[in-house]
Amino acid sequence: MGEVLRVGGQSIVSAPCARHYGLGRPGLNRARQALLAGLVDRSARTGVLAHLQSTLNAGPALGGLALQYDTQEAYLAVFALDAVGFLSCTAVLLLLPAVAPVPVRTGGEPRFAVLRDRPYAVLTFLNAVLLLRMPLLSLAIPLWIVARTDAPSWLVSALFVLNTLGVMAFQVRTARTVTGLRSASRAVWHSCLIMLVSCLVFALSAAGIGPWGAGAVLVVGEVLQLAGEMLQSAGSWQISFDLAPDREVGQYQGFFGTGVPLARTLGPHRCVRRRTECGGAGGSGAPARI
């Protein structure tokens, strides 16, 4: 599983464990989407994904608590619970009915049809851009809090727990507003505006307003980001399924899901650079105090 190291007073998981987990997660997500498409009616898929997203956020919430305690025992307890969770999910998956195979491809059909679907490829790219919100919360905002604001460092884990608990409580309710392509497009558009405002609010936390003032501003920014995240998730789920042909839904979902590893790979570099080297809402500022 990898060893727990102490580096600069912080507990981290060793690189091999993190690398294998990162390689396995995209494949897991793609397989889950294809399985869901085979077992759930098209009209109910977004709602089911919302329930899954709400349930899955219990894990990050536990991770946030472990980060708050920052002890080896806390991290090992989370690893143990994670292992039990994987075993439990495996047992549940074995009880699911088999998915009917897709019809055999005829000779005239392209093997990778999704690569020829340019509108879907553009949507996949745009979704990957919006998914930069993930490294924003997990990496850029914590560095921003420590380097640029007077807020207490414990607010890093507090905001993370706030995000995960918010998704658990409101993701399903948010997804109910998305019922088709029109409402999904509207949800994604609104999420873009809300996340833009949240970034501006985060920038205000460095205005020298003291620890409590900075903390209050950061909480407001996180609430806005949470609302944008839930709208973006629900809208993108609906769009990705509705625009995918029934015969190629697994292939299309796999391609659409590449936005997640792309954002996780490119996002940290871009987010950290913008948050720690630039002041305010993107303007030039003094070097970060890291």
Side-chain angles (χ1 to χ4, degrees), residues 234-282:
S236 64
W237 294 333
Q238 187 77 33
I239 292 171
S240 66
F241 276 113
D242 279 6
L243 296 183
D246 290 334
R247 292 183 57 180
E248 304 287 350
V249 64
Q251 181 183 142
Y252 271 67
Q253 283 298 306
F255 183 71
F256 196 82
T258 57
V260 174
L262 183 63
R264 291 186 185 277
T265 301
L266 300 180
H269 170 71
R270 298 301 304 169
C271 289
V272 171
R273 181 178 178 181
R274 295 300 296 175
R275 288 291 182 179
T276 60
E277 293 184 2
C278 298

Side-chain angles (χ1 to χ4, degrees), residues 94-280:
L94 291 175
L95 298 177
L96 294 177
V99 177
V102 298
V104 179
R105 184 185 297 104
T106 61
E109 296 181 359
R111 183 174 180 83
F112 298 105
V114 66
L115 298 180
R116 298 171 180 263
D117 193 336
R118 293 184 179 179
Y120 200 88
V122 172
L123 288 174
T124 299
F125 171 75
L126 294 176
N127 184 65
V129 173
L130 293 178
L131 288 174
L132 290 174
R133 59 175 171 76
M134 295 187 297
L136 181 69
L137 175 63
S138 62
L139 184 60
I141 293 301
L143 289 176
W144 173 261
I145 292 174
V146 174
R148 290 287 186 177
T149 76
D150 298 322
S153 59
W154 56 261
L155 197 62
V156 171
S157 56
L159 292 181
F160 191 78
V161 172
L162 172 63
N163 178 272
T164 54
L165 293 180
V167 172
M168 291 174 63
F170 298 108
Q171 181 66 78
V172 174
R173 184 178 302 178
T174 302
R176 290 174 184 158
T177 64
V178 178
T179 57
L181 279 176
R182 184 178 296 274
S183 58
S185 300
R186 185 167 56 249
V188 173
W189 171 243
H190 288 166
S191 76
C192 294
L193 296 178
I194 293 172
M195 285 192 280
L196 172 62
V197 174
S198 75
C199 290
L200 297 176
V201 172
F202 280 131
L204 292 177
S205 63
I209 53 179
W212 290 105
V217 170
L218 288 167
V219 170
V220 173
E222 175 50 39
V223 170
L224 289 171
Q225 189 190 48
L226 171 64
E229 172 187 338
M230 292 188 294
L231 284 171
Q232 189 263 329
S233 295
S236 64
W237 294 333
Q238 187 77 33
I239 292 171
S240 66
F241 276 113
D242 279 6
L243 296 183
D246 290 334
R247 292 183 57 180
E248 304 287 350
V249 64
Q251 181 183 142
Y252 271 67
Q253 283 298 306
F255 183 71
F256 196 82
T258 57
V260 174
L262 183 63
R264 291 186 185 277
T265 301
L266 300 180
H269 170 71
R270 298 301 304 169
C271 289
V272 171
R273 181 178 178 181
R274 295 300 296 175
R275 288 291 182 179
T276 60
E277 293 184 2
C278 298

Side-chain angles (χ1 to χ4, degrees), residues 33-53:
Q33 303 294 78
L35 180 62
L36 184 144
L39 296 177
V40 179
D41 292 337
R42 181 183 291 269
S43 60
R45 290 170 185 170
T46 298
V48 172
L49 281 172
H51 280 88
L52 284 173
Q53 185 79 347

